[in-house]
């Protein structure tokens, strides 16, 4: 069988029907259906008999998959090389047209934010600095992060990330951390930092704060900052947070609860107030508050609701 020179599969119902008739012994006449089968390498000419013969479909499928994978690898390599190849022109454009730059752009909608942010990360050439203040990321987000972050590390970028301590008890996040540190990333955890992503020290992406709401952070809006002075201020804030964070390589992350801490959390899960829990456990209300503060510190939670969410999702592992 000839090597595939075009991996596209363009079969019509008629050409598929012709292939089935050929399996039954029919010899085809020259026509569009036969030419499609030839183009797709599903039939081959037997020079000894002068007849067209059906080919093994599984072999064709394997060859097409191999061809697609090769093409995908080549396209990915070309896509990753584009930012570096055009960096000189990009810098020249920004220098020549400085007035067209918007110092702060607000982007609304999770899909729009992710699309804009993903494009910026793919175009990064030096470093990615981030602080994930939302705790462990969902499995599907981590899955996408593997490809994006490993590609960035493969291009030689510096990758430094701050997580909440609760990430240490999340096994999917711990696996991600172990993989990334093995490839050169640096990861730390802390309870005191602001959520942001900084790319090449040229772009900073931060949360947007709102007034008059219980939760001031707008979950579906982000600020994309390119003003040089503002970016450098955010970089300084991130570096300050980084210095007081604790290094983590994805190991040793299990959080142990004392029996009293577990009883207090079970009481909250049953809907009891702290005063009621203190009476039931024969301890002071201050003791209950202190033990809850310890759990919040260990998990990086900012509220009792976040503590209970963490407890609910990790209870079987504790």
């Amino acid at each position: 069988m000839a090597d595939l020179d075009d991996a596209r599969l363009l079969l019509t119902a008629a050409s598929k029907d012709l292939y089935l008739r050929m399996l039954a012994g029919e010899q085809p006449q020259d026509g569009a259906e036969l030419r499609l089968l030839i183009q797709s390498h599903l039939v081959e000419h037997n020079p000894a008999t002068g007849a067209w013969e059906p080919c093994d479909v599984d072999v064709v499928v394997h060859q097409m998959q191999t061809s697609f994978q090769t093409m995908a690898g080549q396209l990915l390599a070309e896509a990753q090389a584009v930012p570096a190849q055009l960096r000189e022109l990009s810098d020249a454009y920004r220098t020549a047209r400085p007035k067209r730059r918007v110092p702060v752009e607000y982007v609304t909608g999770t899909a729009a934010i992710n699309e804009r942010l993903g494009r910026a990360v793919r175009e990064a050439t030096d470093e990615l600095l981030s602080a994930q203040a939302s705790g462990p990321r969902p499995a599907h987000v981590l899955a996408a992060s593997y490809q994006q972050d490993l590609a960035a590390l493969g291009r030689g970028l510096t990758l430094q990330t701050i997580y909440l301590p609760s990430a240490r008890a999340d096994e999917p996040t711990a696996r991600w951390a172990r993989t990334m540190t093995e490839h050169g990333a640096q990861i730390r955890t802390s309870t005191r930092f602001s959520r942001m992503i900084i790319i090449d020290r040229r772009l900073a992406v931060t949360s947007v704060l709102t007034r008059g709401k219980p939760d001031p952070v707008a979950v579906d809006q982000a600020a994309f900052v390119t003003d040089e002075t503002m970016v450098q201020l955010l970089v300084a804030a991130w570096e300050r947070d980084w210095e007081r964070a604790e290094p983590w390589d994805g190991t040793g992350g299990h959080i142990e609860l004392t029996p009293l801490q577990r009883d207090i959390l079970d009481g909250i899960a049953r809907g009891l107030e702290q005063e009621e829990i203190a009476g039931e456990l024969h301890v002071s209300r201050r003791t209950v508050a202190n033990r809850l503060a310890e759990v919040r510190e260990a998990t990086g939670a900012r509220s009792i609701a976040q503590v209970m969410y963490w407890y609910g999702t990790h209870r079987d592992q504790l």
Side-chain angles (χ1 to χ4, degrees), residues 130-134 161-166 188-196 236-246 296-302 306:
S130 64
Q132 303 287 345
S134 57
T161 300
I162 307 173
Y163 270 107
L164 288 169
S166 57
R188 297 186 179 185
T189 61
S190 175
T191 58
R192 300 169 59 197
F193 62 90
S194 300
R195 184 178 185 180
M196 69 179 75
W238 183 92
E239 290 178 335
R240 186 166 54 249
D241 293 337
W242 177 259
E243 287 301 318
R244 62 192 179 199
E246 297 183 8
R296 287 178 61 182
E297 179 73 18
T299 60
R302 298 187 176 184
Q306 290 182 356

Side-chain angles (χ1 to χ4, degrees), residues 5-315:
D5 55 5
D6 188 343
R8 291 173 297 176
L9 184 61
L10 304 172
L11 292 183
T12 62
S15 60
K16 292 180 182 179
D17 182 66
L18 176 59
Y19 179 87
L20 296 175
R21 297 202 309 272
M22 291 178 65
L23 286 178
E26 178 180 324
Q27 269 299 300
Q29 300 294 321
D30 184 30
E33 292 79 9
L34 177 60
R35 287 193 291 274
L36 282 176
L37 292 177
I38 296 172
Q39 179 183 340
S40 302
H41 301 278
L42 286 168
V43 299
E44 62 182 357
H45 189 258
N46 188 332
T49 63
W52 288 100
E53 297 180 354
C55 296
D56 187 331
V57 176
D58 290 339
V59 173
V60 174
V61 168
H62 175 73
Q63 289 184 326
M64 286 187 173
Q65 288 178 327
T66 301
S67 179
F68 277 128
Q69 291 168 356
T70 300
M71 291 167 58
Q74 293 172 344
L75 290 173
L76 179 60
E78 292 176 9
Q80 292 176 345
V82 167
Q85 292 175 351
L86 297 182
R87 173 61 68 187
E88 180 181 358
L89 298 182
S90 176
D91 290 343
Y93 180 86
R94 284 195 293 268
T95 300
R97 304 287 180 86
K99 293 182 179 181
R100 300 190 65 176
R101 295 181 61 187
V102 179
V104 181
E105 182 179 355
Y106 296 95
V107 179
T108 301
T110 302
I113 293 171
N114 290 340
E115 191 280 331
R116 174 77 176 274
L117 183 58
R119 184 170 69 250
V121 170
R122 290 191 296 272
E123 294 174 352
T125 58
D126 298 317
E127 64 181 352
L128 300 175
L129 312 176
S130 64
Q132 303 287 345
S134 57
R137 290 181 289 178
H140 71 281
V141 176
L142 279 176
S145 180
Y146 272 102
Q147 181 177 2
Q148 176 175 280
D149 295 338
L150 287 176
L153 291 168
R155 301 201 307 272
L157 272 68
T158 298
L159 192 153
Q160 296 173 276
T161 300
I162 307 173
Y163 270 107
L164 288 169
S166 57
R168 292 174 177 260
D170 183 68
E171 181 53 30
T173 304
R175 286 197 299 270
W176 173 88
R178 290 193 293 269
T179 300
M180 294 304 141
T181 53
E182 288 172 359
H183 286 78
Q186 299 178 57
I187 302 170
R188 297 186 179 185
T189 61
S190 175
T191 58
R192 300 169 59 197
F193 62 90
S194 300
R195 184 178 185 180
M196 69 179 75
I197 298 174
I198 300 170
I199 301 171
D200 290 344
R201 304 196 178 218
R202 298 185 180 195
L203 168 67
V205 183
T206 69
S207 300
V208 176
L209 301 180
T210 57
R211 296 181 179 179
K213 294 184 179 181
D215 187 353
V217 179
V219 296
D220 63 343
Q221 193 173 38
F224 286 72
V225 183
T226 55
D227 178 81
E228 184 175 353
T229 300
M230 295 177 67
V231 170
Q232 294 311 310
L233 286 172
L234 290 170
V235 168
W238 183 92
E239 290 178 335
R240 186 166 54 249
D241 293 337
W242 177 259
E243 287 301 318
R244 62 192 179 199
E246 297 183 8
W248 181 46
D249 62 0
T251 60
H254 185 67
I255 296 177
E256 295 286 349
L257 294 180
T258 66
L260 179 56
Q261 288 171 335
R262 184 186 291 272
D263 289 342
I264 292 172
L265 295 179
D266 286 339
I268 294 176
R270 289 187 284 121
L272 300 180
E273 298 293 337
Q274 293 187 30
E275 192 75 38
E276 296 174 301
I277 294 173
E280 186 177 280
L281 299 178
H282 306 291
V283 298
S284 69
R285 189 183 186 286
R286 172 173 289 185
T287 297
V288 172
N290 288 341
R291 298 297 83 79
L292 283 174
E294 292 169 355
V295 177
R296 287 178 61 182
E297 179 73 18
T299 60
R302 298 187 176 184
S303 65
I304 298 300
Q306 290 182 356
V307 168
M308 295 310 298
Y309 174 80
W310 171 84
Y311 185 52
T313 55
H314 295 85
R315 189 170 184 173

